[in-house]
Amino acid sequence: MSGNTRLEGPSPQGTGRVPGLRPPAGQSRGKLVFLGLCLVLIGLNLRTAFSSFSAVLTEIRASGTVPEWAVALLTTAPVTLLGLFAPLAPVLSRRFGSKRVLLGAMVVLTGGLLVRPTEWGSAGHLPGLIVGTALCGAAIALCNVILPSEVKQDFAHRLGLMGGLYTTAICASAALGAGFTYPVFQATGEWSAALLFWAAPAAAVVLLFAPVAVRAPRARAGADHGGTNVWRSRVAWHVTLFMLFQAMTSFSVFAWLAPILRERGIDGASAGAMVSVSILLQMLGSLFAPTLAARMWDQRGINVTVALMTSLGFALSVLGPLEFVWVWIGLLGLGQGALTAVALTMIMLRTRNPHTAVHLSGMMQGVGYGVGSLGTLIVAQIHNATGQFALAGWAFLAIGVGAVTFGYLAGRRRNVDAAV
């Protein structure tokens, strides 16, 4: 494999910048601030589809609307779709421009959130849940891939800051979905109304971002031709496998942490609050991890540390003494937020231009989320086979070993692309 060129010097201490990268020419400070706000708000809508479903999963099951096979499908398929649609993002970005693709994806996400809770006559809610979930997964996949390259392109002089802000927004999105969906259900008495609620903030972002995206120039034809073939880079595979093991844990937490806690005897409101606190701590970890990672000579230490925290926190939430559950939730939250953030930050720190960044992002999220969806499936199959979640705790200790190994390899100071 090729592309193992070492970085040529540390980033300036205290800046979180990549050497030689400056603010884009012709961009006023006000326009950059507004663009940054839009990117953060997009991030704020990228996990509510997952965590909101999990928050009312017990009520959906109790309603008899969704059979058990569909529960496994609806908790696994979204992450699989993230993997399936991620490779399309670089192609669409090259053809239409990244900002237009982001806008289109947010329109599709809004549509998916509107369709998901609808009732389809005698067929009930199941078709709407499946179609809406598919639309949401496809849209989120495109946003996931393009956001890091947008940060690389327009905020290369502030990678640590913007990387922290948008990954924190993604964590906040999960927290909002987990924390507010159940109260909306309690207020309305309808789980469908609780899911429908999340279409409103997505639609608001579409309206806010539309003028920016429409005025953005289209990508120049052939702009990214001749770039590094990330699929042949050892460094790219290390980063991708780090993302894979991160995804196996992260999306299992989004889908199953609340049901796990409720099975252990914790009531729905308390379980939702615990998940929300965990994800709020994720926000804290994700806010500081990218800046810290960008300031370091290499990222081996931080990658290994946060992978260990996440694996142990999740396993102990399943297996540990219930009287210390808040400790396990805190360890999981801080670790998972930082783990997700540093995995995404690797896209920016291991590439030298936005074109390579979007291709690496497509690769790592395509493979990472596509195969990483097995995490949610593993938990579902364990529960179906044993009637409990205990074995899942041991499974995620093993997954943590993979995250530690490839976090160490991805953290070495090497670049995917050889071009200076």
Side-chain angles (χ1 to χ4, degrees):
M1 294 183 181
S2 63
N4 296 335
T5 303
R6 292 182 181 274
L7 292 170
E8 298 178 359
S11 51
Q13 291 298 316
T15 66
R17 304 181 184 184
V18 172
L21 295 180
R22 296 180 174 84
Q27 285 273 44
S28 70
R29 181 179 178 85
K31 289 181 179 179
L32 278 178
V33 169
F34 186 74
L35 173 60
L37 174 63
C38 289
L39 297 183
V40 169
L41 291 176
I42 289 172
L44 203 56
N45 282 270
L46 296 187
R47 295 295 180 267
T48 54
F50 304 132
S51 57
S52 60
F53 182 79
S54 175
V56 290
L57 180 56
T58 300
E59 286 66 35
I60 293 174
R61 276 174 160 160
S63 71
T65 303
V66 181
E68 281 302 310
W69 67 264
V71 171
L73 173 68
L74 291 167
T75 53
T76 304
V79 191
T80 304
L81 289 169
L82 297 188
L84 290 176
F85 282 90
L88 289 178
V91 178
L92 295 173
S93 180
R94 183 170 63 245
R95 181 176 178 85
F96 301 107
S98 58
K99 293 180 178 64
R100 287 186 174 87
V101 177
L102 274 179
L103 176 63
M106 287 303 300
V107 171
V108 173
L109 177 60
T110 304
L113 292 169
L114 288 170
V115 167
R116 189 171 61 157
T118 57
E119 190 170 5
W120 294 36
S122 60
H125 286 92
L126 185 56
L129 284 168
I130 293 174
V131 173
T133 297
L135 291 172
C136 291
I140 293 168
L142 298 179
C143 293
N144 279 345
V145 173
I146 292 175
L147 272 178
S149 66
E150 271 294 302
V151 171
K152 182 79 174 181
Q153 176 175 296
D154 293 306
F155 299 93
H157 58 302
R158 288 290 185 269
L159 286 185
L161 174 62
M162 275 304 299
L165 288 175
Y166 95 82
T167 54
T168 300
I170 292 174
C171 291
S173 174
L176 291 171
F180 285 94
T181 303
Y182 194 80
V184 174
F185 164 74
Q186 289 180 311
T188 63
E190 298 287 341
W191 61 261
S192 56
L195 295 183
L196 183 63
F197 173 82
W198 297 105
V205 173
V206 169
L207 296 176
L208 190 67
F209 187 57
V212 177
V214 170
R215 289 196 297 264
R218 289 180 178 269
R220 291 182 293 110
D224 63 331
H225 290 176
T228 299
N229 184 347
V230 295
W231 295 91
R232 298 178 62 186
S233 166
R234 184 178 293 110
V235 174
W237 276 106
H238 292 160
V239 172
T240 295
L241 292 171
F242 183 40
M243 171 62 82
L244 186 156
F245 286 107
Q246 179 275 137
M248 290 187 79
T249 300
S250 293
F251 283 94
S252 296
V253 171
F254 291 146
W256 293 110
L257 182 57
I260 285 169
L261 294 173
R262 294 185 72 171
E263 186 175 273
R264 297 198 70 187
I266 297 171
D267 65 88
S270 297
M274 288 179 181
V275 174
S276 296
V277 169
S278 177
I279 300 174
L280 288 170
L281 290 172
Q282 286 183 39
M283 294 168 58
L284 182 62
S286 64
L287 181 62
F288 294 105
T291 300
L292 183 60
R295 292 176 177 178
M296 291 178 168
W297 174 258
D298 69 27
Q299 290 74 41
R300 287 175 293 183
I302 190 171
N303 287 358
V304 169
T305 299
V306 298
L308 284 172
M309 290 173 63
T310 304
S311 177
L312 289 173
F314 192 28
L316 289 169
S317 295
V318 181
L319 302 169
L322 202 57
E323 57 265 30
F324 298 114
V325 66
W326 283 106
V327 177
W328 317 141
I329 291 294
L331 183 66
L332 173 61
L334 286 172
Q336 187 181 339
L339 178 61
T340 302
V342 295
L344 292 171
T345 303
M346 292 297 102
I347 298 170
M348 297 173 278
L349 295 180
R350 294 295 172 261
T351 58
R352 288 179 174 166
N353 62 74
H355 305 304
T356 304
V358 75
H359 284 287
L360 176 60
S361 185
M363 173 186 173
M364 69 180 287
Q365 298 192 61
V367 175
Y369 290 142
V371 183
S373 63
L374 290 175
T376 58
L377 182 61
I378 287 169
V379 177
Q381 293 306 312
I382 286 173
H383 191 268
N384 288 340
T386 66
Q388 56 185 350
F389 289 108
L391 189 58
W394 295 105
F396 282 95
L397 283 175
I399 289 169
V401 173
V404 167
T405 300
F406 288 102
Y408 180 89
L409 294 173
R412 295 183 299 175
R413 192 175 176 80
R414 298 171 184 268
N415 248 341
V416 170
D417 45 357
V420 177

